[in-house]
Amino acid sequence: MPKVLRLHTLPEDEKILRAPNAEVNFPLTVEIKELIEDMKLTVRKAPGIGLAAPQVGHNLMLAIIHLEEFGIESFALINPKVISRSIKKTALEEGCLSIPKVFGDVKRPAKVEVVGFTEDGRKVHLKGEKLFAKVLQHEIDHLNGILIQDKFEK
Ligand SMILES: [Zn+2]
């Protein structure tokens, strides 16, 4: 049965949240498949709309996108990269499960294109706009050790 993982938060877990994240190899190990199921449960219970592996103490290029209420089924995104960003940027108030009670406006490209892999090793090319674009960028930032507070509008 999947279990809820401990959320790593600032300030005590900053080292893990800032550490480099390793690419995930395919086929996935049993441990990584379990981690994905545990992360899906953890983000649902939090509740959150995205969760990156370093937020639960694993420095891997892996994130869960959980936007079911927007019609996108919860999925694992592995080794993702942003390959294109719109010139137009929009600001949105963001929070982060790793930074409790802190919210701030973050300005990001309104649309992005991302490539990555699903848990069955299939390559995906995602085109995100609106909230989907923001979540993709927020989670990929985590995989590069970047947190929202680094991007708050001054
Ligand atoms: Zn976050």
Side-chain angles (χ1 to χ4, degrees), residues 10-104:
L10 292 184
E12 54 278 1
D13 298 311
E14 179 149 27
K15 215 170 157 182
I16 286 171
L17 293 167
R18 297 291 191 183
N21 294 293
E23 288 214 344
V24 175
N25 296 314
F26 288 96
L28 300 184
T29 61
V30 172
E31 289 76 19
I32 294 202
K33 285 181 184 172
E34 275 181 19
L35 174 62
I36 289 171
E37 293 313 309
D38 291 348
M39 285 175 67
K40 283 181 177 173
L41 180 65
T42 304
V43 70
R44 198 162 69 230
K45 294 278 183 189
I49 55 176
L51 182 68
Q55 295 183 273
V56 290
H58 293 267
N59 284 119
L60 294 169
M61 295 283 252
L62 159 67
I64 305 297
I65 306 294
H66 179 71
L67 278 173
E68 281 172 335
E69 57 266 55
F70 299 89
I72 298 167
E73 202 183 324
S74 183
F75 67 98
L77 184 58
I78 299 169
N79 303 336
K81 280 190 192 79
V82 178
I83 55 162
S84 158
R85 297 170 174 81
S86 62
I87 293 164
K88 187 187 166 200
K89 292 186 175 186
T90 52
L92 183 76
E93 188 182 65
E94 295 187 22
C96 180
L97 295 174
S98 293
I99 316 171
K101 301 189 188 90
V102 174
F103 296 88

